[in-house]
Amino acid sequence: QVQLVESGGGLVQAGESLTLSCAVSGQMLSLYRMGWFRQPPGRERELVTQIPWSGVTPTYADSVKGRFIISKDNAKNTLYLRMDNLEPDDTAVYYCAAGRIPETQYRHWGQGTQVTVSS
């Protein structure tokens, strides 16, 4: 079982930056891949970026390429999402998630943190 707790959301203006954190607890984390999802108001949840816990190569949604960076500190069991040049369309609840490799489904979710970008 993996437990995830996000933090770092807030209200920012367009063009500003924000970093989200996700405290990860559980065993055998090397068997998981980690992802950041978001759910904008009135829309479905979407994958923003993901990376294997024991890997180094992330993937990104086209909408955030060049602006968002996923990273992790394995020693601190923490996942990060650095978001630069934020846009109003980035407004959403952001979720940290974990999925067991090689399953495609993410089965473990944090509670979410709100990010609001004003124009």
Side-chain angles (χ1 to χ4, degrees):
Q1 190 75 6
V2 177
Q3 291 82 39
L4 308 163
V5 180
E6 304 97 334
S7 61
L11 172 63
V12 297
Q13 293 187 336
E16 293 184 340
S17 299
L18 200 61
T19 297
L20 305 182
S21 300
C22 176
V24 183
S25 61
Q27 297 182 345
M28 304 180 73
L29 295 179
S30 62
L31 300 180
Y32 290 83
R33 70 183 180 284
M34 307 301 299
W36 285 100
F37 289 75
R38 67 185 182 185
Q39 186 165 18
R43 293 168 56 184
E44 293 187 354
R45 188 160 53 190
E46 60 184 10
L47 176 64
V48 175
T49 178
Q50 59 184 350
I51 188 170
W53 183 258
S54 59
V56 296
T57 305
T59 60
Y60 294 94
D62 289 342
S63 58
V64 306
K65 280 182 181 177
R67 300 189 299 120
F68 289 14
I69 297 175
I70 187 172
S71 64
K72 51 189 174 64
D73 186 329
N74 291 52
K76 295 182 178 180
N77 277 11
T78 304
L79 185 74
Y80 302 97
L81 180 64
R82 166 78 179 189
M83 304 183 292
D84 292 325
N85 194 20
L86 282 160
E87 304 169 353
D89 283 348
D90 296 318
T91 295
V93 178
Y94 283 73
Y95 298 90
C96 175
R100 185 76 176 259
I101 299 171
E103 297 176 3
T104 58
Q105 186 175 359
Y106 280 83
R107 298 186 182 275
H108 307 281
W109 295 86
Q111 81 286 355
T113 185
Q114 176 71 45
V115 173
T116 302
V117 184
S118 63
S119 57

